[in-house]
Each structure stands twice: as C-alpha cells, then as structure tokens.
Amino acid sequence: MTTFVEGPVRVTVPATSANLGPGFDSLGLALSLRDELEAEVLPEGLVVEVEGAGADTAGGGVPRDETHLVVRAMRAAFDLMGEQPPGLRLSCRNLIPHARGLGSSSAAIVAGVVLARGLVAGGQLLASDDALFDLAADLEGHPDNVAPAFFGGFVISGREDDRWYAVRAGVDPRITAVVFVPPTGVETKVARGLLPEVVPHADAAANSGRAALLVAALTGQPEHLLAATRDWLHQEQREPAMPDTLALVRRLRADGVPAVVSGAGPTVLAFGTADTSDLIGRCPDGWACHDLAIEPDGAVLLT
C-alpha cells in the first residue's frame, strides 16, 4: 500500500522556449523564469489555489477542479505509482505567462508529475526520472518544452521506437536571451493548425542544416547564431495568427539580432552575447520584455 508524506511539498519549474527557429519540435531551452507550486495530501476533497497567470476566474483563468492541468498530471503520476491520495491541496504561483510560447503547459505538467512523486514515500523507487519524463511527454504530446522543463538547460529531444528521448548539451556561458512578450496570446492548437501537412524537400533540407548549425552555435560558437536560427518550416506559416510577432522578428534579424518565434508564439526570443540593454530598449509599446539567463536546472523539488 502506498504511503503519502505528511505536510506540503514544493517545486519550482522553469519557463522554456522551444523550436529556437529551425529546431521544430526537437530543440528547447530552459529560461530563468519559474513557476512555484506547493501540494499536500488532504483527508478528502480537492482545493486549488492560483495566483499570477491564470488567476482571474472572470477573465478566462485556469480551472480550480480536476481539469486543472497540474491536477491532471498529478493524477496520471499517482496512477503510475499505483494509488491515488484521498484528497489534495494545490497552490500555484504562476510567473510564466500563459498562451505566449514560453512553455506554461509543459511547466504545469512537469510540476504535476514531480509534485506527485514527492508526495509519495519512496516515490523515486516507484517512478524514475525517465518514467516521469516519458509520462510528461505523453501528456503534452511532444517533448521539446517538457524536456528542458524537466532536465534544464539546452535539450535535444524526440521519439524513437515508441520511446521519448532527451539529450542535454552545454550552452556557451556568453549566451543570454531576451524575451519580448506581447499583451495577447495565441493558443498552441491555433498556431499548429496553420502548419502545412507537406513541405518542399529543399526547405526540409535547409532547415535540418540550420538545426545542426544551431547546436554548434549554442554549445560554443555563438557567432553563428544569426545564420543558425533561420527557419523555413513554421514561423512564416504562423504569421496570420501573430503578424506583430513576425514583424518584430524581421526587424531584429535585419539588424543582425538572432531572433525567433518562441515555441508556437507569439513571444519573440532574441539571443544576446553581451550587454542586452539595447535589446530591452527595443521593447514595443504594450509588450513586456525580460532579460533572462539560460536556466541550468529543470524542475527542482524543494525540501
């Protein structure tokens, strides 16, 4: 019989940026912006508390019931370990903006599975890191945000023989990132719905070459970042849903700044290798801009 721990457990999970230009559904970075969550087992019932992003119940906030994404991930992890708790309290302090291409859903899923394991005595023996990552990627449907949210840093991920894989690579310490976050979001399913089913072979070949170059650029040759972040597969195709985003990407790239759509958008991520005050100074009116580091740690369970 499963034994649950007494008292709350806490976890922090980083924001992430996926795709990074040509690395569609395969490359992702953890960023130094974190959600903070706490959970504990109750004798009965479910209590969900939210502050920050998604807290406004009158304005399309996140649900406070079993459909909450963190709760769903926790339930899936408890099933993996063999038993559900009698009741739960979940408290979320959400700093990662929702529907902006910064991995808020992956952060929620990763937080949920890590919290659930932390609430089970001996949880590490019942659910390994690999098992939790597989579960999180299954829940999300693709691993490019889940992998850096779980493991931290720069991660190359994908699926092989019905299993997910994630390989970390070091990031050149000179590289930083600035994110330009617009005031309104775009749902991932809307952005994905704009992608064509078939792409020209030449575009696929060009993209694969730039994705390979991007790994080299991020891991030690940042002078190649501008060329390495060129994309043919998904950014311009999504322009109808986020015209201001693509306009900003083009303006920055025309000035030699390696700028990309973050994830499915509409946030723009720009890589820097020195003082980024000039990039912050280009923040469009009404947007929120943040100078972030590449976060080496993924989800961290706090004691």
Side-chain angles (χ1 to χ4, degrees), residues 113-129:
V113 299
V114 173
L115 280 171
R117 184 173 67 179
L119 285 170
V120 173
Q124 287 276 1
L125 299 176
L126 298 172
S128 66
D129 283 354

Side-chain angles (χ1 to χ4, degrees), residues 4 20 24 163 272 296:
F4 298 102
L20 309 178
F24 182 69
R163 292 294 303 274

Side-chain angles (χ1 to χ4, degrees), residues 49-114:
E49 304 161 341
V50 180
E51 63 174 289
D56 184 7
T57 55
V62 297
R64 307 300 203 272
D65 56 20
E66 291 284 348
T67 64
H68 189 285
L69 186 53
V70 176
V71 176
R72 287 160 47 199
M74 292 180 76
R75 295 298 190 195
F78 285 130
D79 282 342
L80 179 68
M81 292 181 287
E83 189 168 349
Q84 293 289 336
L88 279 173
R89 179 185 67 83
L90 171 67
S91 178
C92 308
R93 182 169 178 261
N94 296 332
L95 300 184
I96 304 171
H98 290 182
R100 298 299 195 279
L102 288 171
S104 61
S105 65
S106 288
I109 290 169
V110 169
V113 299
V114 173

Side-chain angles (χ1 to χ4, degrees), residues 15-21 31 33 95-104 177-188 191 234-235 238 241-249 252 259-270 283-284 287-290 292:
T16 54
S17 181
N19 301 329
L20 309 178
L31 301 172
L33 178 68
L95 300 184
I96 304 171
H98 290 182
R100 298 299 195 279
L102 288 171
S104 61
V178 173
V179 293
F180 300 80
V181 186
T184 57
V186 174
E187 293 294 333
T188 300
H234 70 100
Q235 294 191 158
R238 288 167 161 163
M242 53 191 90
D244 292 342
T245 292
L246 270 297
L248 178 58
V249 168
L252 290 170
V260 297
V261 177
S262 180
T267 290
V268 173
L269 180 141
C283 193
W287 292 44
C289 298
H290 308 280
L292 301 176

